[in-house]
Amino acid sequence: MSAPVVTIDGPSGAGKGTVARLLANRLGWHLLDSGALYRLVALAGERSGLDPEDVAGHARLAGALDVRFTTRPDGSERIELAGQDVALAIRTETAGAGASRVARWPEVRQALLARQRGFAESPGLVADGRDMGTAIFPDAPLKIFLTASAEERAIRRHKQLKEKGVAVNLADLSREIEARDRQDSTRSVSPLKPASDALHVDSSARSPLEVVAVIWQHGAARGLWPTA
Ligand code: DC
């Protein structure tokens, strides 16, 4: 039997990354940060001097990404692209916009498909992204669509970037997030949208741990793990 998968999809800044990591840690399950893969493709393209609109070139890079995801002793993420630590480089808003650009192309999405499905290993997987429940793991036994108000999402992203030492202006950030959500929701292939069987959770007034508690209850109700 294949490993159980919990999918967490939603717009930027809804808290998917934090919630997915907390839930995966609590369960001792694997974690797939699919957005990181699109960010890596955009960064790899930039570093190899590709034209930003070169679809075939980016698809080739996506199919051959030399990437390693590990965790540092302090619990923070380490992501190596061709042996170079890019954990910070892929978290900038420019990298996010680049990811959203290359994510429009079916050729790139197809090139990343098998790699993403490969994360579903025993004992289970928590997968965070935009199309986890609709396209990558349509049979997942628990699908969450995590949202938050646009204002709250911009404030969170601002705080997150500030903590990482990335200087950004809140108004600019709001505009960038809106533009990215529009692009992600309106593209023709695997747009950001809830799966028909997804449970909607609003994180605007909930802490990450409170969101995890809500998801935990749903998973327990479906027999995926114990109640407590
Ligand atoms: O979750 P994130 O901000 O790291 O994602 C960066 C971009 O990658 C996002 O704007 C859209 C794209 N993406 C996608 O199209 N499909 C996914 N499953 C994950 C991310």
Side-chain angles (χ1 to χ4, degrees), residues 130-141:
R130 305 292 187 291
D131 63 341
M132 298 294 98
T134 51
I136 310 296
F137 301 109
D139 299 326

Side-chain angles (χ1 to χ4, degrees), residues 11-21 33 39 77 87-88 90-93 128 130 152-168 170 173 177 180 208:
S12 346
K16 302 183 302 291
T18 311
V19 165
R21 186 170 292 274
D33 171 2
R39 288 170 181 264
E77 67 178 358
L88 269 184
I90 65 160
R91 294 298 165 204
T92 63
E93 285 310 298
D128 141 24
R130 305 292 187 291
E152 181 62 27
R153 293 191 285 118
I155 291 171
R156 282 184 197 164
R157 200 67 162 198
H158 187 245
K159 186 165 165 254
Q160 229 175 33
L161 290 170
K162 237 170 96 179
E163 278 165 10
K164 289 189 175 169
V166 184
V168 275
L170 184 59
L173 189 59
I177 289 178
R180 185 137 73 87

Side-chain angles (χ1 to χ4, degrees), residues 79-158:
I79 303 179
E80 274 173 55
L81 178 65
Q84 269 191 334
D85 186 354
V86 294
L88 269 184
I90 65 160
R91 294 298 165 204
T92 63
E93 285 310 298
T94 312
S100 183
R101 171 173 46 81
V102 304
R104 287 149 47 222
W105 300 321
E107 294 85 345
V108 167
R109 305 197 73 85
Q110 184 61 33
L112 293 175
L113 184 72
R115 185 190 289 262
Q116 294 178 83
R117 292 200 173 136
F119 278 76
E121 287 195 335
S122 179
L125 173 70
V126 180
D128 141 24
R130 305 292 187 291
D131 63 341
M132 298 294 98
T134 51
I136 310 296
F137 301 109
D139 299 326
L142 180 60
K143 300 179 184 175
I144 304 295
F145 195 76
L146 192 63
T147 51
S149 69
E151 192 191 3
E152 181 62 27
R153 293 191 285 118
I155 291 171
R156 282 184 197 164
R157 200 67 162 198
H158 187 245

